[in-house]
Amino acid sequence: MSNVNQKIAPDDLVISMQGVSKWFGAFQALNDINLSVKQGERIVICGPSGSGKSTLIRCLNRLEAHQKGKILIGGIEMHQKMKNIDKVRQDIGMVFQHFNLYPHMTVLENCMAGPNWVRGVSKSDAKDRAMAMLERVKIPEQADKYPSQLSGGQQQRVAIARSLCMQPKVMLFDEPTSALDPEMVAEVLETMVELAESGMTMICVTHEMGFARKVGDLVVFMDEGQIVERNNPTDFFENPQSDRTKLFLSQILSH
Amino acid sequence: MYADNVIGDKLIHKPKFILGLLAVAFLAFFTFNLAGTMFGEFLRPVIGEPKESGLYGRSAVALVLAVLFVGNLFLISFANIKVQVAIVWIELLLLFLAFFYSFNLKFSFIQSKIGFMITQGLFTTLYISAVSIAIASLIAIVGAVAKLSNNGFAYGIASFYTSLFRGLPLLMQVFLIYMGLPQIGYVIDAVPAGIIALSLCYGAYMTEIFRAGIQSVPRGQWEASRSQGFKFGLTMRRIILPQAIPLIIPPTGNQFIAMLKDSSLVSVIGVWELMFLARTLGQKEFRQMEMLITAAFIYWGMTMVLEVIQSRIEKHYRKKGQQ
Amino acid sequence: MRLYTKLIAGAIMASVSSFSPVWAGEALDRVMNKGVLTVATDANWAPQSFLNDNNKMDGFDVDVAKEIARRMGVGIKFVTPSWTIITAGKWAGRWDISVGSMTPTKARGEVLSFPGIYYFTPASFAVQTDSPITDKLQLNGKTICATTASTYELYLQHDLTIDAIGTPPFKYDVTPGKISSMKDTSTCLNDVRLGAGVRVDGMIGSLPALVAAKKAGLPIRVVGTPAFYEPLSVAIDKGDTEFDAKLGKIIAAMHADGTLSKMSMKWYGIDYSAGVK
């Protein structure tokens, strides 16, 4: 564990991907991905379905294994034989498309579990922290309910609070609004915007272009496992360079 | 099953159907000559000596029974479904009891033996089954985890175990363990040998139940836990198993109920459980039927009690899941 | 069920018999040290051994076992493993002795020792009460009923070998005209009760069974002296000659002082302990 802070890369690089490739059998899901994320940076990844954006984000905390290239998280390389994977994961919050709350535990217990079980936080401190985070996502009154009693938007906000309770260094969002009914998208996005404004380092796979415009530092467009284009939001939307990006934008913005 | 929201006319309220059913019932009762049974006795005032009543007695009995049967159906049809079920249960139970009553059982003999059957037989059966199901559950958890693991050694052992113990008759396992273990130096008594055999056999079946239960927990639960940095054991214990258990409980309850009856196999190595006593107690006085029927009712009663307990537990978990 | 049990037990014994642990000499020490003789017997075989009204083991075999323990100066405990397990041998010290009316065949002699024969089951002829036949010799040339494949049928076919150790010699003095081969003793009994010559003229079966049937009210009569005797012995695991000798002495003494004939009279009403005399 002593090497956690050993190899801190220059410029506070939180995440660094160098020439990362991944295959599912013969199918190449990621093709030579290079991406760096600095402390406090907000990255939005978009692209058509099957373009590899979810795979990319899942490689970052090694829910998927890459086969080629290097991924560094806080200077630690993610590889097959790493011993401290659990410690690294504790610092990476992840929000899933389908929330993945623990259905047999109350909202409060969902939020307390991580800090109490693996962060060594006492039960009462964990509870205080959980309540604070539930305040932050604006559903403290739901603390004693079970996930199945909440709406989709509320569940996703609980999922965000659950991640925040771990006090992560970076948050990954894997299509957090795709499974929601339209009227619930706004409340989740609002929560995410507030989080972004608080200075959290975030990587979001999303099609919510309004969100990208509002808080993104960098928009990355992927297709067929490659990063086709990356730019700041203004230029990305006003002046896309590649044909594929233009086509994609025309498709999602025409609705 | 799917119940439609449109209710048609009840068949039993149509005169044609009633007449048809009467005819069928009459023929059915007529086919089995029932004049010589207790039904014939009841009709003695009408048909005279049942044995000599001939075709007249036979058809009279059949007609009365057919009318009773159809009339019963007709009357029940007006009750709501709960009452219907209750009435049918009571009627079948009475018929069943009448069936046993016709054996001319000696109830004083049952009375003198039932205490011992319960204190010795029922107690031993329950004790052996309860201990075995507990051990089998532990084996099943370990077996299921091993079967789901990527470790070839663990998978190899677990799959060999389930294959072997599901592939051998339980009776053979009882013999193997009771007679085989002493050959390698471990002499164990009949009760522990029976418990080991039942545990290993049911552990093998329950490994599959637990494996299916664990597998039915969505992958996202694993991903959420692992992404929070929970290790395998913690994830299993606190996240996966609590969700798998409600799915595991009903089939495990069935296994326990089945085990109560399979535990009778250990009587071959001389354990004085319920089945052993049922076969033994009545032997000297040629009262086997009394003891077998008594044991049958004890088994049945025990099973019904367990079914109630099982449905309570199921309800408890279902409630928890839906909250 | 019985057959199935036997097949399985047989298969298992065949597979484990290659292991042969040594228990030699220790059985007697074990009994004396513990102060308890553990006896294997059946609980389902009245009047030899069964559960009595107080739910305790009782019967002829049980009385014999108790007397053996008394003469050894130790207490007694009964266990009731299935017959297959008892006759399979290799008891591993779970129990010390079988007092269960076992015929000491040569096959069983491979795994068990038979220290002493304590009684004999005679095979006898029976006829209907009103039958003119008064002696077994009169059954020559008649139709006689016997259980299929039993020692009784083999006797009628003049093809009987009891390879048991200590079997008294016998001779074939009845030659039936026709053998009626039936599935069990009670079928034969039912045919005999119909009357002489209706289906059969007489039958052959085990004397205790015939006596019991007569007692139960069946109209039958035993005729002539027994045709042959099957000896029945106590059994112990092979290997402890000291124990073997001691039990042999005790059983000889029980024969000599009349204990066994008294017990036989008590349970059967007939002295089966004497055998051929």
Side-chain angles (χ1 to χ4, degrees):
Chain A
M1 310 296 153
S2 60
N3 63 347
V4 171
N5 296 311
Q6 241 168 35
K7 299 197 275 181
I8 285 284
D11 291 329
D12 279 346
L13 270 189
V14 183
I15 292 172
S16 158
M17 301 178 85
Q18 301 162 14
V20 172
S21 294
K22 169 168 182 64
W23 288 264
F24 289 111
F27 173 74
Q28 186 161 15
L30 295 179
N31 186 356
D32 192 29
I33 302 287
N34 291 288
L35 184 70
S36 298
V37 184
K38 276 183 268 185
Q39 179 78 52
E41 222 175 356
R42 275 95 56 173
I43 312 254
V44 172
I45 303 175
C46 60
S49 71
S51 60
K53 50 197 195 304
S54 274
T55 306
L56 186 153
I57 206 169
R58 286 161 63 84
C59 278
L60 290 178
N61 62 357
R62 217 177 156 76
L63 288 182
E64 301 286 357
H66 60 283
Q67 280 111 25
K68 221 175 120 189
K70 248 185 180 181
I71 298 178
L72 296 170
I73 307 288
I76 301 170
E77 188 181 347
M78 308 294 275
H79 62 95
Q80 206 173 352
K81 304 224 158 141
M82 61 194 300
K83 297 271 189 292
N84 50 354
I85 179 69
D86 291 317
K87 284 266 179 258
V88 176
R89 280 174 175 163
Q90 285 168 27
D91 286 336
I92 307 172
M94 184 148 192
V95 175
F96 299 87
Q97 182 178 357
H98 295 287
F99 333 132
N100 295 353
L101 293 175
Y102 307 130
H104 58 299
M105 292 155 65
T106 64
V107 164
L108 187 63
E109 285 164 349
N110 264 278
C111 294
M112 287 167 62
N116 186 231
W117 295 351
V118 296
R119 283 287 208 198
V121 177
S122 77
K123 250 197 170 145
S124 67
D125 288 353
K127 188 174 174 184
D128 292 346
R129 191 190 286 183
M131 284 314 295
M133 292 306 158
L134 288 172
E135 297 273 4
R136 195 165 159 186
V137 301
K138 302 198 180 70
I139 39 174
E141 73 282 358
Q142 311 286 9
D144 292 324
K145 289 198 179 159
Y146 284 87
S148 55
Q149 295 169 298
L150 305 185
S151 72
Q154 290 172 321
Q155 289 193 49
Q156 194 61 296
R157 283 187 284 153
V158 172
I160 294 170
R162 177 174 72 176
S163 286
L164 288 176
C165 284
M166 296 290 285
Q167 299 183 332
K169 299 207 169 74
V170 54
M171 291 276 288
L172 310 177
F173 291 84
D174 186 4
E175 305 207 29
T177 55
S178 305
L180 295 176
D181 290 336
E183 75 270 22
M184 293 175 183
V185 171
E187 58 187 74
V188 172
L189 286 179
E190 191 189 327
T191 306
M192 288 169 67
V193 169
E194 276 167 28
L195 192 59
E197 283 164 354
S198 74
M200 175 62 76
T201 313
M202 294 165 71
I203 302 177
C204 310
V205 172
T206 183
H207 291 156
E208 297 297 334
M209 292 303 127
F211 173 77
R213 255 184 232 272
K214 197 162 179 183
V215 302
D217 293 315
L218 181 72
V219 180
V220 174
F221 175 69
M222 287 183 71
D223 195 12
E224 293 180 347
Q226 285 172 307
I227 295 181
V228 176
E229 189 165 340
R230 64 180 92 196
N231 217 330
N232 64 66
T234 320
D235 289 339
F236 181 83
F237 290 111
E238 310 289 317
N239 188 17
Q241 300 296 306
S242 100
D243 292 343
R244 279 191 276 179
T245 314
K246 285 177 197 160
L247 178 67
F248 175 73
L249 285 176
S250 74
Q251 279 166 343
I252 63 166
L253 295 178
S254 63
H255 297 295
Chain B
M1 264 199 307
Y2 181 76
D4 209 332
N5 291 316
V6 179
I7 301 168
D9 286 343
K10 281 183 180 160
L11 263 182
I12 190 75
H13 293 170
K14 291 178 183 162
K16 264 191 194 161
F17 182 79
I18 293 178
L19 282 177
L21 196 62
L22 255 175
V24 171
F26 175 78
L27 276 178
F29 290 125
F30 188 79
T31 314
F32 305 98
N33 184 5
L34 296 168
T37 64
M38 65 171 95
F39 302 115
E41 283 303 313
F42 286 132
L43 287 182
R44 188 184 278 271
V46 186
I47 60 174
E49 170 61 36
K51 285 204 177 93
E52 287 151 20
S53 57
L55 213 57
Y56 167 65
R58 188 169 173 174
S59 42
V61 170
L63 184 68
V64 169
L65 285 176
V67 169
L68 277 177
F69 176 72
V70 176
N72 184 29
L73 266 184
F74 184 74
L75 288 177
I76 286 178
S77 70
F78 292 104
N80 74 31
I81 186 154
K82 272 189 185 157
V83 178
Q84 284 179 347
V85 172
I87 291 176
V88 171
W89 261 77
I90 290 168
E91 284 175 350
L92 288 176
L93 193 67
L94 287 176
L95 268 180
F96 189 58
L97 288 175
F99 174 63
F100 283 137
Y101 187 75
S102 67
F103 291 173
N104 239 330
L105 301 178
K106 191 176 167 194
F107 288 99
S108 62
F109 185 73
I110 293 178
Q111 221 167 18
S112 70
K113 294 291 183 187
I114 194 165
F116 188 64
M117 278 188 116
I118 288 173
T119 53
Q120 170 69 35
L122 178 62
F123 176 80
T124 308
T125 292
L126 273 177
Y127 165 76
I128 287 179
S129 305
V131 173
S132 300
I133 203 85
I135 300 173
S137 302
L138 291 180
I139 294 174
I141 292 181
V142 175
V145 171
K147 268 203 137 176
L148 292 170
S149 82
N150 299 322
N151 184 324
F153 182 69
Y155 181 84
I157 289 182
S159 53
F160 183 82
Y161 159 69
T162 50
S163 166
L164 179 70
F165 281 87
R166 291 207 296 175
L168 297 185
L170 177 54
L171 182 59
M172 180 184 260
Q173 295 173 33
V174 172
F175 275 126
L176 262 178
I177 285 161
Y178 185 69
M179 308 212 287
L181 280 185
Q183 305 299 323
I184 51 171
Y186 293 98
V187 181
I188 47 169
D189 282 341
V191 170
I195 288 176
I196 291 175
L198 284 169
S199 305
L200 285 174
C201 182
Y202 275 76
Y205 284 103
M206 285 166 58
T207 293
E208 295 303 316
I209 293 174
F210 276 57
R211 184 186 58 75
I214 290 170
Q215 269 186 323
S216 70
V217 176
R219 204 182 149 73
Q221 292 293 310
W222 283 100
E223 291 181 344
S225 326
R226 301 318 284 277
S227 77
Q228 279 197 282
F230 298 170
K231 288 192 192 309
F232 174 82
L234 181 66
T235 306
M236 199 60 170
R237 219 171 56 243
R238 307 297 293 265
I239 305 295
I240 302 302
L241 280 182
Q243 294 183 57
I245 278 171
L247 298 161
I248 290 170
I249 292 258
T252 300
N254 278 336
Q255 294 288 313
F256 185 60
I257 289 168
M259 183 189 270
L260 277 175
K261 282 155 284 179
D262 273 358
S263 67
S264 60
L265 286 176
V266 303
S267 62
V268 295
I269 50 177
V271 178
W272 289 23
E273 45 70 75
L274 196 46
M275 187 61 206
F276 181 91
L277 294 181
R279 285 189 303 152
T280 307
L281 283 174
Q283 198 257 347
K284 189 199 148 211
E285 294 176 43
F286 298 98
R287 292 276 169 203
Q288 277 108 333
M289 209 59 212
E290 275 84 349
M291 293 296 93
L292 285 174
I293 289 171
T294 309
F297 274 99
I298 296 177
Y299 273 118
W300 191 18
M302 189 162 58
T303 305
M304 285 199 286
V305 169
L306 282 166
E307 276 166 357
V308 170
I309 295 174
Q310 188 191 351
S311 79
R312 286 262 167 99
I313 296 174
E314 269 177 53
K315 224 183 244 168
H316 168 81
Y317 279 111
R318 214 177 311 139
K319 238 197 211 148
K320 217 173 164 186
Q322 277 170 357
Q323 264 168 4
Chain C
M1 179 68 193
R2 261 273 157 81
L3 180 68
Y4 180 56
T5 319
K6 268 186 196 159
L7 283 176
I8 288 176
I12 290 167
M13 283 328 292
S15 61
V16 296
S17 59
S18 46
F19 297 92
S20 221
V22 183
W23 315 108
E26 62 183 54
L28 185 56
D29 294 345
R30 187 180 58 229
V31 174
M32 299 320 282
N33 287 341
K34 275 199 303 189
V36 175
L37 181 69
T38 307
V39 181
T41 191
D42 204 315
N44 207 6
W45 199 26
Q48 278 84 350
S49 48
F50 58 92
L51 289 178
N52 67 13
D53 293 341
N54 303 317
N55 304 313
K56 296 271 183 282
M57 295 294 293
D58 206 349
F60 175 66
D61 284 348
V62 171
D63 277 357
V64 172
K66 282 180 180 162
E67 182 62 18
I68 292 172
R70 197 185 65 78
R71 294 189 185 211
M72 286 178 75
V74 293
I76 193 161
K77 188 183 141 198
F78 289 97
V79 290
T80 54
S82 68
W83 184 243
T84 336
I85 291 178
I86 299 175
T87 51
K90 296 196 186 347
W91 297 341
R94 281 183 172 123
W95 52 85
D96 310 304
I97 185 172
S98 148
V99 185
S101 304
M102 194 186 290
T103 308
T105 62
K106 280 189 183 132
R108 287 173 183 158
E110 308 262 309
V111 287
L112 300 173
S113 291
F114 299 104
I117 289 161
Y118 61 103
Y119 76 116
F120 299 84
T121 307
S124 283
F125 291 97
V127 295
Q128 210 248 10
T129 327
D130 300 332
S131 167
I133 292 166
T134 54
D135 189 76
K136 62 178 175 181
L137 293 177
Q138 290 170 296
L139 281 166
N140 268 311
K142 304 278 191 195
T143 305
I144 304 175
C145 186
T147 308
T148 310
S150 65
T151 46
Y152 314 116
E153 186 180 44
L154 291 169
Y155 177 85
L156 294 181
Q157 293 164 344
H158 295 194
D159 190 22
L160 174 64
T161 331
I162 302 181
D163 62 1
I165 306 135
T167 308
F170 56 86
K171 56 179 200 278
Y172 300 109
D173 42 17
V174 173
T175 310
K178 196 178 156 226
I179 299 170
S180 165
S181 183
M182 289 293 161
K183 78 170 167 47
D184 54 26
T185 307
S186 50
T187 317
C188 282
L189 283 167
N190 278 324
D191 282 353
V192 169
R193 73 191 289 188
L194 294 176
V198 177
R199 277 192 183 146
V200 297
D201 296 295
M203 67 173 290
I204 179 170
S206 102
L207 186 55
L210 296 175
V211 171
K214 195 175 168 176
K215 233 188 208 168
L218 268 84
I220 59 159
R221 178 159 50 83
V222 175
V223 289
T225 51
F228 62 93
Y229 290 85
E230 276 186 282
L232 300 164
S233 174
V234 301
I236 59 171
D237 223 345
K238 245 193 157 44
D240 191 338
T241 46
E242 251 179 275
F243 192 30
D244 196 298
K246 177 147 193 171
L247 287 169
K249 250 185 241 161
I250 290 176
I251 287 164
M254 284 167 69
H255 274 297
D257 63 16
T259 312
L260 283 169
S261 51
K262 229 184 285 163
M263 287 177 177
S264 177
M265 289 304 289
K266 173 181 167 195
W267 288 104
Y268 300 107
I270 295 173
D271 183 5
Y272 290 131
S273 74
V276 214
K277 265 178 193 164

